[in-house]
């Protein structure tokens, strides 16, 4: 039987737990009920829900429902104007000052909605830290973000460092000062190198030790990447000593209990002054200036760009975010291709595209572009949509363009490599078609009982390194093994000099070992030509560039071979040849000659083929899609597949 809705209390009748919840909500806007109960020290979730229902019935708190993942999404909590006034009475501070400091206003709340997944992960870390001590936790200080300006040693100009969260907590048996950085695998670890470097430089000039930095990640490989990054920064000039702990999302509380040590309290721990404060006759005002209003309602006063993005994000579904993320990384895909990539019916994909176009988030290739058509695609994400995608990745737009290769924006506001992709549209469409075809083949084989999957696809901008600029990077899974590859698509428009430069960059990357920063071994270079003559020129260029150098793992084929109706396996069929092999000497990639599962010469190792068994290195494992695009929760443990002696995190993109 459903319990009756409690009657809302007056301020004077608020219990100590309800007062604590109000004050915490003035510091932690848009927190979910479960972590809020942990921070408030309420062990029973039913009790916490009862208190929250009483506060909501009194008009002190509100609930904001945002679809952050498929299925049920909990409602985020915030203080209403009445609740903010009550909190100001409890704290003895002006409501406007509290709202300005902690981002409690309506525009600030809407601006936090695009990054709500990262904010929720930050609150989960805070809740786990609150379980570290004995007794009810006291949140003495909370800063989001923690930002410090300082002058590094031997530097003339000032620098700044920002960490997502800083908490100072106290319990009956001690206190703790900690910095929190959640890692949801939406960007490469190297994207945080400057942050860790600035923190180490601050530690060198600070008057005392800095708080311990806790980084929560979701697989051992990314944990090792973070440790390698911290060790690299520690050797930098002007870096001080840092206390950094890498913990796993799946064992968050256990890892924190083993690594964090409480400090002794300097004096007796007094209770907050607002717990026993007498509020008789001091009701919060219900009229006057409205600081919060309704964050979910459209407001004409919404002026900031972040608030506008938040208003748009409220109307989107997880499938919309997944589509925007895919098109942001790979512009100029058609609706049918999006359906093949994401496992949707073509009509459904087209419907989602047109829905997002009406909201101003997607653009069709405009008539001024070559091969542009009306209401037929290809599609790209608008500049507003790209900002929304970047916010969900926890990055600024500039960072998302640099590290994740976002592109789009249309003719009027091009972002990233959009201009180049549109200028060479035939080439762009050809590369897209090859990756989509490989994804469709993998889906067909899964229906036949295999475990094939295009586990990852990175665009040209995301995998470019110095002079090395492939048309894309892919990670294909077959028979429990992962095979990495670079794609080179050639339409026969490249001259001999350009061929020499292109493949010289590959050999230079291989011989200098630069690939080890991103991959455990060098990926196979798959060269796809549009005709036989172009394939022969590619083979000759590879042979010339490889004189006196180690062998480059490369395979060649023509597009017509993969499209041949007699070749049921497409790009996985016996259509590939090595540069020095005879014209008719064709082989499979990455399958065996009989098309069945490949069995390697040793247990746990892939079959011997050029570049076979390549997998992304520790610093870049599955950072592109991550759990945000896949719609997973922040604490769901990832699936893993083994390749050799490494475990590679797998986050499906759809």
């Amino acid at each position: 039987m459903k319990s009756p809705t409690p009657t809302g209390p007056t301020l004077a009748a608020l219990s100590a737990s309800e007062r604590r919840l109000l004050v915490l909500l003035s510091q932690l806007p848009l927190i979910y009920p479960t972590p809020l109960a942990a921070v408030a020290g309420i062990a029973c979730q039913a009790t916490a829900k009862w208190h929250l229902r009483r506060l909501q019935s009194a008009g002190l708190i509100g609930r904001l429902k945002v679809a952050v993942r498929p299925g049920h999404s909990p409602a985020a909590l915030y203080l209403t104007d009445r609740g903010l006034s009550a909190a100001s009475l409890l704290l003895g501070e002006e409501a406007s000052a509290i709202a300005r400091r902690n981002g409690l206003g309506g525009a600030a709340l809407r601006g936090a909605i695009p990054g709500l997944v990262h904010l929720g992960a930050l609150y989960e870390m805070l809740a786990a830290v609150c379980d570290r001590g004995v007794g009810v936790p006291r949140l003495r200080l909370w800063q989001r973000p923690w930002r410090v300006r300082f002058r590094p040693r031997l530097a003339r100009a000032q620098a700044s460092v920002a960490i997502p969260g800083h908490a100072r907590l106290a319990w009956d048996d001690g206190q703790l000062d900690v910095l929190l950085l959640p890692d949801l695998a939406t960007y490469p670890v190297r994207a945080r190198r400057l942050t860790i470097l600035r923190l180490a430089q601050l530690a060198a000039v600070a008057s005392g030790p800095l708080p311990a930095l806790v980084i929560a990640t979701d697989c051992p490989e990314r944990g090792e990447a973070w440790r390698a990054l911290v060790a690299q920064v520690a050797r930098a000039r002007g870096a001080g000593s840092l206390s950094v702990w890498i913990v796993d999302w799946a064992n968050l509380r256990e890892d924190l209990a083993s690594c964090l040590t409480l400090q002794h309290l300097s004096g007796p721990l007094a209770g907050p002054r607002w717990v026993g404060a007498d509020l008789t006759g001091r009701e919060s005002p219900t009229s006057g200036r409205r600081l919060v209003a309704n964050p979910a309602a459209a407001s004409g006063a919404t002026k900031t760009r972040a608030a506008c993005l938040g208003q748009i994000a409220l109307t989107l579904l997880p499938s919309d975010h997944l589509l925007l993320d895919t098109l942001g990384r790979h512009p100029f895909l058609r609706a049918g291709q999006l359906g093949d990539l994401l496992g949707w019916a073509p009509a459904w994909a087209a419907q989602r595209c047109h829905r997002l176009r009406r909201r101003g988030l997607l653009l069709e290739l405009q008539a001024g572009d070559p091969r542009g058509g009306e209401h037929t695609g290809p599609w790209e994400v608008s500049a507003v949509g790209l900002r929304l995608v970047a916010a969900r990745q926890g990055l600024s737009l500039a960072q998302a363009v640099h590290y994740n290769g976002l592109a789009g924006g249309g003719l009027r506001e091009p972002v990233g490599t959009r201009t180049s992709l549109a200028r060479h549209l035939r080439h762009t469409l050809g590369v897209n078609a090859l990756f989509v075809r490989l994804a469709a083949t993998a889906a067909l084989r899964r229906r036949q009982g295999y475990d094939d999957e295009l586990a990852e696809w990175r665009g040209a901008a995301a995998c470019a390194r110095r002079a090395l600029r492939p048309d894309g990077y892919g990670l294909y899974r077959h028979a429990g093994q992962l095979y990495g590859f670079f794609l080179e698509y050639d339409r026969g428009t490249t001259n001999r000099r350009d061929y020499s430069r292109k493949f010289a960059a590959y050999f230079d990357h291989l011989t200098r070992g630069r690939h080890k920063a991103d991959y455990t071994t060098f990926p196979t270079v798959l060269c796809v030509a549009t005709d036989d003559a172009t394939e022969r020129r590619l083979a000759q260029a590879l042979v010339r560039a490889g004189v006196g150098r180690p062998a480059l793992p490369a395979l060649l084929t023509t597009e017509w071979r993969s499209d041949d109706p007699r070749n049921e396996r497409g790009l996985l069929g016996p259509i590939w040849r090595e540069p020095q092999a005879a014209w008719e000497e064709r082989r499979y990639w990455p399958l065996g000659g009989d098309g069945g599962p490949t069995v390697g010469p040793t247990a746990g190792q892939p079959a011997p083929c050029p570049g076979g068994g390549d997998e992304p290195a520790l610093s870049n494992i599955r950072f592109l899609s991550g759990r945000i695009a896949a719609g997973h929760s922040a604490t769901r443990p990832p699936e893993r597949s083994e390749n050799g002696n490494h475990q590679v995190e797998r986050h499906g993109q759809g």
Side-chain angles (χ1 to χ4, degrees), residues 236-326:
R237 181 182 179 184
S241 177
L242 286 178
S243 176
V244 182
W245 298 97
I246 315 296
V247 297
D248 189 0
W249 280 113
N251 305 300
L252 189 57
R253 284 166 170 78
E254 295 80 358
D255 291 351
L256 288 174
S258 62
C259 68
L260 294 180
T261 303
L262 298 184
Q263 303 171 356
H264 293 291
L265 292 170
S266 55
L269 184 60
R273 57 182 173 81
W274 42 262
V275 171
D278 184 14
L279 298 180
T280 304
R282 299 178 61 190
E283 292 298 314
S284 59
T286 57
S287 60
R289 182 185 176 188
R290 303 185 67 186
L291 299 174
V292 182
N294 183 6
S299 173
T302 300
K303 299 297 184 182
T304 65
R305 176 179 290 177
C308 294
L309 288 180
Q311 197 67 51
I312 295 173
L314 283 171
T315 66
L316 300 182
L317 300 174
S319 58
D320 297 326
H321 289 294
L322 180 56
L323 191 151
L324 288 172
D325 187 88
T326 303

Side-chain angles (χ1 to χ4, degrees), residues 13-32:
L14 290 178
S15 65
S17 296
E18 290 164 352
R19 297 185 183 197
R20 185 179 297 110
L21 289 171
L22 273 182
V23 173
L24 286 175
L25 280 173
S26 70
Q27 299 173 285
L28 310 172
L30 298 183
I31 189 173
Y32 294 123

